[in-house]
């Protein structure tokens, strides 16, 4: 499990147990929800406090409100704050409160509710006997916080078998490994917390970037779009997690439309040429770049060229490297004057593998096998010697683009060959010539 137990050594390296070191210094998702539940009480208290009391620290205010969490408030949260897929899931939550009320702090009961809410929404379990899930949740939390309850004890309490509890615990563990103890608490916090719809959606997208599960990323992106429909980054996440290129392209196209709505048409006219330098434009540029790449790999070269030219018009400095793919698209389409224009405009001071090897393609398409071609090949190998090995299959390409690229290194070669594979596959004679060099 990703969360540190109360009795585990503290991850800060102090050598102390977590509960005696950093536990109280951290703010969990549950504590954030707790503040949402007690918002009404906090507002009422502020009305009677003097101006000097209102200036007390936010931490002190949180302690005051959290101490007033009651069973009625927990039940109110179950009924009003949390979403449920089935009435039986909500009923089990209420039973969980009753089962734990005499033995646990209200904050821990809240954590049990959040765990059950996330688990039930994600897995949609059939509840044949509520006690089995209640027992499993209590067991999991007892392990998490060092209460050391046995499954046998809980089997007696809930009148179920220890084997049943064990099975349910495994199901819960699988969920926790994927989503964490807070589960879908992020959505609840975003929906009910402070900030504009755009800010709330962005908070969820930050969580999506950190998520290791594809399902979780999709879930967070979809919730972000419910809050704020004009988010290009949310559509980009959905496209990245799509199962096929056609579906991904639909999301990317929707994301471009969302980006235009978000910025407004007047913004494009006023700030053309300065995009990317303005932070709010970056989601739009990113999704345009991804859409162009999708069109390129999907056989829609003309559409790819159109969107890449659009990117360069908005951002001539080209922070995303649209120029490299645009040159490849024009070469592939035999629009050699356009390819030459891109290479000339951007390639004079750009010592990268892309333009070095694209110059070979341009010369071959214009003049065939020449002495100039041999000279360009020598120059290209000097820029990056690894490209021919990947182009000719001497070295096997990985399935994905590298995370980091350095000038002249093998990662640069891998990126070039993957992104330009359609171009080179259309020129078997040039590849045969290269093999002889």
């Amino acid at each position: 499990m990703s969360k540190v137990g109360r009795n585990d050594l503290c991850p800060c390296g102090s050598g102390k147990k977590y509960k005696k070191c950093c536990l109280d210094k951290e703010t969990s998702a549950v504590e954030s929800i707790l503040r949402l539940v007690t918002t009404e009480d906090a507002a009422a208290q502020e009305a009677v406090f003097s101006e000097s009391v209102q200036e007390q620290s936010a931490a002190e205010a949180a302690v005051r409100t959290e101490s007033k969490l009651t069973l009625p408030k927990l039940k109110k949260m179950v009924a009003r704050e949390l979403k449920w897929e089935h009435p039986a899931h909500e009923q089990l939550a209420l039973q969980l409160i009753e089962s734990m009320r005499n033995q646990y702090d209200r904050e821990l009961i809240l954590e049990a509710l959040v765990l059950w809410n996330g688990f039930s929404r994600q897995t949609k379990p059939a509840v044949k006997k509520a006690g089995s899930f209640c027992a499993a949740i209590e067991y999991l939390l007892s392990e998490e916080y060092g209460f050391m309850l046995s499954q046998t004890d809980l089997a007696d309490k809930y009148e179920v078998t220890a084997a049943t509890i064990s099975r349910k615990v495994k199901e819960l563990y699988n969920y926790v490994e994927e989503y964490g103890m807070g589960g879908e608490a992020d959505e609840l916090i975003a929906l009910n917390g402070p900030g504009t719809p755009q800010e709330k959606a962005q908070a969820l997208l930050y969580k999506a970037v950190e998520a290791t599960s594809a399902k979780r990323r999709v879930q967070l992106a979809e919730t972000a779009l419910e809050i704020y429909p004009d988010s290009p980054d949310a559509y980009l996440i959905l496209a990245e997690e799509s199962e096929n290129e056609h579906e991904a392209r639909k999301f990317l196209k929707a994301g471009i439309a969302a980006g235009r709505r978000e910025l407004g048409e007047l913004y494009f006219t006023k700030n053309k040429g300065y995009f990317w330098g303005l932070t709010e434009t970056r989601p739009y540029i990113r999704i345009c770049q991804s859409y162009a790449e999708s069109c390129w790999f999907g056989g829609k070269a003309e559409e790819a060229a159109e969107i890449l030219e659009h990117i360069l018009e908005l951002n001539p400095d080209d922070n995303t490297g649209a120029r490299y793919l645009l040159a490849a698209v024009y070469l592939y389409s035999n629009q050699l004057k356009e390819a030459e224009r891109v290479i000339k405009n951007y390639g004079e001071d750009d010592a990268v593998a892309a333009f070095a090897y694209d110059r070979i393609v341009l010369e071959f398409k214009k003049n065939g096998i020449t002495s100039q071609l041999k000279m360009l090949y020598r120059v290209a190998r000097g820029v990056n010697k690894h490209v021919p090995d990947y182009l000719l299959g001497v070295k096997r390409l990985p399935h994905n683009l590298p995370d980091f690229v350095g000038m002249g290194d093998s990662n640069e070669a891998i990126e070039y060959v993957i992104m330009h594979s359609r171009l080179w596959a259309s020129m078997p004679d040039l590849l045969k010539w290269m093999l002889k060099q």
Side-chain angles (χ1 to χ4, degrees):
M1 292 167 56
S2 58
K3 193 169 181 179
V4 182
R6 290 167 60 91
N7 292 314
D8 292 342
L9 289 178
C10 187
C12 76
S14 66
K16 299 178 182 179
K17 288 188 177 182
Y18 180 52
K19 65 183 179 183
K20 294 185 179 292
C21 189
C22 293
L23 174 61
D24 294 332
K25 300 175 186 177
E26 298 180 353
T27 302
S28 68
V30 173
E31 289 169 329
S32 300
I33 295 176
L34 203 156
R35 294 191 183 93
L36 295 176
V37 175
T38 56
T39 299
E40 295 176 2
D41 291 337
Q45 288 178 20
E46 283 187 17
V48 298
F49 285 147
S50 65
E51 192 172 303
S52 61
V53 173
Q54 290 177 357
E55 293 175 356
Q56 290 180 5
S57 70
E60 292 174 331
V63 170
R64 283 200 307 273
T65 56
E66 287 180 22
S67 66
K68 290 187 174 292
L69 184 64
T70 62
L71 291 173
K73 286 177 181 175
L74 288 172
K75 293 176 181 178
K76 176 183 175 183
M77 187 190 73
V78 168
R80 299 184 186 180
E81 303 290 339
L82 296 173
K83 297 179 181 178
W84 302 98
E85 294 292 326
H86 193 277
H89 299 160
E90 181 178 349
Q91 190 61 39
L92 189 145
L94 295 173
Q95 182 174 335
L96 196 57
I97 294 173
E98 293 301 317
S99 300
M100 299 179 69
R101 61 184 295 173
N102 295 325
Q103 295 172 278
Y104 299 97
D105 292 339
R106 303 301 182 250
E107 289 79 5
L108 194 140
I109 298 175
L110 175 58
E111 185 161 353
L113 293 173
V114 170
L115 174 58
W116 169 243
N117 178 252
F119 174 80
S120 64
R121 288 182 62 189
Q122 183 61 34
T123 65
K124 301 176 179 59
V127 180
K128 296 180 179 179
K129 194 167 185 180
S132 60
F133 279 111
C134 291
I137 291 169
E138 190 173 336
Y139 178 78
L140 192 148
L141 289 173
S142 76
E143 277 205 332
E144 184 75 7
Y145 292 109
F147 298 139
M148 305 306 292
L149 290 175
S150 71
Q151 293 185 8
T152 303
D153 293 336
L154 290 168
D156 292 338
K157 176 179 176 179
Y158 287 98
E159 298 181 350
V160 294
T161 65
T164 300
I165 296 175
S166 181
R167 286 197 301 272
K168 301 304 181 187
V169 166
K170 286 180 181 178
E171 293 176 24
L172 287 166
Y173 264 123
N174 290 337
Y175 169 80
V176 170
E177 286 294 328
E178 192 166 2
Y179 295 100
M181 290 293 289
E184 296 173 345
D186 298 316
E187 291 92 322
L188 182 63
I189 295 168
L191 288 166
N192 294 280
T196 65
Q198 185 179 11
E199 290 168 343
K200 293 177 181 180
Q202 191 59 53
L204 290 178
L205 295 177
Y206 288 141
K207 293 285 185 183
V209 171
E210 297 170 358
T212 57
S213 160
K215 288 182 181 179
R216 184 63 172 151
R217 281 165 55 81
V218 168
Q219 188 178 42
L220 289 166
E222 289 176 343
T223 304
L225 286 174
E226 289 177 12
I227 301 171
Y228 183 69
D230 295 339
S231 171
D233 281 340
Y235 282 108
L236 183 58
I237 289 172
L238 294 178
E240 289 172 347
E241 301 301 338
S242 295
E243 294 184 356
N244 60 75
E245 197 64 31
H246 177 71
E247 183 183 65
R249 203 172 299 128
K250 285 176 60 178
F251 282 127
L252 292 170
K253 204 164 188 176
I256 291 174
R260 296 197 75 91
R261 292 195 304 270
E262 181 179 51
L263 295 173
E265 293 304 322
L266 182 62
Y267 187 98
F268 283 82
T269 304
K270 182 179 178 181
N271 296 291
K272 182 173 66 175
Y274 301 98
F275 274 50
W276 196 264
L278 304 168
T279 306
E280 63 270 22
T281 68
R282 294 181 181 182
Y284 180 76
I285 293 293
R286 281 195 295 266
I287 201 159
C288 283
Q289 180 86 16
S290 293
Y291 182 69
E293 292 172 2
S294 177
C295 289
W296 166 241
F297 287 114
K300 298 179 179 295
E302 184 177 346
E303 196 169 355
E306 183 180 343
I307 198 73
L308 290 166
E309 289 283 13
H310 175 60
I311 292 172
L312 293 178
E313 183 181 26
L314 296 175
N315 177 36
D317 290 339
D318 190 25
N319 302 79
T320 58
R323 59 192 182 274
Y324 305 125
L325 184 57
L326 182 59
V329 171
Y330 281 143
L331 287 170
Y332 177 81
S333 305
N334 289 317
Q335 294 176 266
L336 302 186
K337 288 185 178 180
E338 295 302 321
E340 197 165 13
R341 170 181 61 82
V342 174
I343 294 173
K344 182 179 180 180
N345 288 347
Y346 285 100
E348 289 185 1
D349 300 318
D350 202 345
V352 294
F355 285 147
Y357 282 89
D358 283 355
R359 287 190 181 97
I360 296 174
V361 177
L362 180 61
E363 173 66 17
F364 177 77
K365 281 182 173 278
K366 288 174 66 175
N367 302 310
I369 305 297
T370 63
S371 58
Q372 176 72 4
L373 191 69
K374 292 183 179 180
M375 186 273 290
L376 289 172
Y377 183 64
R378 286 196 298 271
V379 171
R381 282 187 61 85
V383 173
N384 192 307
K385 65 182 181 180
H386 305 285
V387 171
D389 287 342
Y390 288 107
L391 275 176
L392 299 171
V394 176
K395 292 182 179 178
R396 181 178 295 180
L397 284 169
H399 294 295
N400 299 311
L401 289 168
D403 293 326
F404 302 100
V405 172
M407 293 183 66
D409 67 8
S410 59
N411 281 349
E412 183 191 33
I414 290 168
E415 182 181 62
Y416 173 78
V417 174
I418 290 177
M419 295 303 297
H420 291 68
S421 57
R422 295 189 72 240
L423 170 62
W424 282 88
S426 68
M427 299 179 298
D429 290 342
L430 181 57
L431 287 170
K432 289 177 183 177
W433 174 86
M434 187 180 289
L435 187 61
K436 296 176 182 179
Q437 302 309 305

